[in-house]
Amino acid sequence: MVIKEDLSIMDKLTILSDAAKYDVSCSSSGVERGNNGKGIGNSKACGICHSFSADGRCISLLKILLTNECIYNCRYCINRSSNDVVRATFSPEEICELTMQFYRRNYIEGLFLSSGIIISPDETMKRMLETVILLRKKYNFGGYIHMKAIPGASDDIIKFAGWFVDRMSINLELPTNAALKELAPSKSRESILHPMNMIKNNIHMNRYEVGMKHTNNYLSDVYNMYNTFSDDTSNEMLDTMFNDGLAANNRLNINNRLNTGNTELSAGHRYKRYVPAGQSSQMIIGATKETDYQLVTIAQNLYDKYDLKRVFYSAFVNVNMDESLPLQEDGKGVPLLREHRLYQADWLMRFYGFKSYDLLSEDNPNFNAFLDPKCDWAIRHLDIFPVEINTAPYALLLKVPGIGVKSARRIINARRMSILDFTSLKKAGVVLKRAVYFITCNGRMMYNIRIDQDYITNALIDNDKKKIYDIEHKDCYKQLSLFDCNVISE
């Protein structure tokens, strides 16, 4: 381990933004682009990633680690304790300063904060919590904040952090407990799922309390945190939160409220939302031998039991060249197509009404390399096709390849006014090169098509060959550095 002293903020940013690139809970990195002297604004590559807000906007986030020091030795992780890499640690004030400077320059709209485990999970979580509290209260930062919760940290600290961030996430890391024991023995499934369940329960409780106009747990949480933070600075920092319209300005008022049971808020007080953007998680795929069926079943359970907003999949990259893990000489063997198929299936489960058992089974445990999951499902269920566009219910329209959520809604609205034909479908955004094999308009198909598995499979594979080639048959896969100017300029 190489720990450098007296690093500048930009030196730390270089190290810690690069160390954060393997966490895919936000999308890809940004680019560095200078102003041409005529326009306004610049683009900065250092740690900028892209995510999507609830209303569909693409937003830029500063994606960094608090520290890349770590007491754990997970065999797949570039920051594991046994690796001889340069280590750096931000102070909470430095992260706040970076975030505010980037925000004022319009580089970013928010912060994505993760961390290695420094000293202990509790210590790491306290530093991250102090960072977001400073941002919200000292710097009055109202932008988006996504923070990682650290498995093994105190329930009180994780619970309290939820009042100051928009989204929290806890990485599942590996799909099974056996895989965790083999590759990340310091972690356990219980230490990951317990805080995930606690965050879910707090989100639901907060929604109920806000909807019923009862007080939320904010007062009690602030009061309890005084027992968690022992230093005077932290207590002073927590004192500032009593001025936000949800609590009194000092401990005495809180004590009085809690002791007397008078927790009702007066008229005009706003109600604080707990983790309003929900929680997410991430799984590494390809490091162990789970099937796609196991992976989508786990994802389905996470959505159903823990009310996750999103499960992210990260194609395994053997950054440590560990011989006990799948070797990837010259960058080959990274399961990018498999990651792509899992994301397609995940979209179907979240927006199209599919369940994991609809897409795969124990007899058919892996996705088709040549057909996307929706087309593959449709070909295996030709008994329900072709679908009549002018009469089919919304749920059935979503099952048709080439018809998305928006185009299905447009079809439902448009057919109230007139009978639809194939020209109307094209205007509605339907991808006819896929849909023509599965639909009729006014009782007629677009072409003379045989409803036959082999015939439709061959036709769809011809349409998809280029996409498969682009995803799977690249000469080399390389994990880009955020400061790799040569790659960016090409």
Side-chain angles (χ1 to χ4, degrees), residues 80 318-325 327-330:
R80 65 184 185 182
N318 197 342
V319 292
N320 298 318
M321 298 308 293
D322 192 312
E323 294 182 356
S324 64
L325 296 170
L327 295 178
Q328 299 163 337
E329 296 181 5
D330 300 323

Side-chain angles (χ1 to χ4, degrees), residues 8-117:
S8 69
I9 291 183
M10 285 305 296
D11 289 334
K12 292 181 180 181
L13 180 62
T14 302
I15 295 168
L16 295 174
S17 61
D18 189 63
K21 67 188 178 185
Y22 296 100
D23 196 319
V24 299
S25 294
C26 292
S27 299
S28 62
S29 304
V31 296
E32 187 156 359
R33 181 178 61 255
N35 191 284
N36 60 10
K38 298 179 180 179
I40 186 170
N42 298 280
S43 178
K44 193 76 172 174
C46 309
I48 305 299
C49 66
H50 297 95
S51 186
F52 291 89
S53 63
D55 60 3
R57 293 182 303 112
C58 180
I59 58 177
S60 300
L61 304 178
L62 174 62
K63 179 180 178 182
I64 53 174
L65 298 183
L66 173 79
T67 180
N68 64 343
E69 294 183 42
C70 195
I71 62 174
Y72 294 162
N73 198 34
C74 305
R75 287 159 66 176
Y76 52 82
C77 183
I78 189 67
N79 299 315
R80 65 184 185 182
S81 59
S82 62
N83 274 4
D84 189 19
V85 297
V86 178
R87 308 285 178 166
T89 301
F90 278 126
S91 70
E93 282 284 356
E94 286 174 333
I95 295 177
C96 293
E97 183 181 339
L98 273 174
T99 303
M100 297 308 296
Q101 287 183 6
F102 275 52
Y103 189 81
R104 290 188 182 111
R105 288 167 174 77
N106 204 30
Y107 295 160
I108 62 169
E109 293 184 61
L111 171 69
F112 175 90
L113 181 61
S114 186
S115 183
I117 311 301

Side-chain angles (χ1 to χ4, degrees), residues 41 60 64 67 85 110 147 158-159 167 177 182 187 190 210 216 276 303 316 325 336 369 390 400 420-421 441 448 455:
S60 300
I64 53 174
T67 180
V85 297
M147 187 174 79
I158 295 176
K159 181 181 178 183
R167 170 166 288 185
N177 200 38
E182 180 184 356
K187 300 178 181 179
E190 173 60 24
V210 169
N216 54 35
Y303 287 128
F316 172 69
L325 296 170
L336 293 178
N390 288 287
V400 178
L420 303 183
D421 56 19
C441 283
N448 187 17
Y455 174 80

Side-chain angles (χ1 to χ4, degrees), residues 292-302 349 356-357 360:
D292 292 341
Y293 177 58
Q294 289 175 293
L295 294 173
V296 295
T297 301
I298 291 169
Q300 183 77 64
N301 288 334
L302 290 174
M349 291 191 295
S356 58
Y357 52 77
L360 294 173

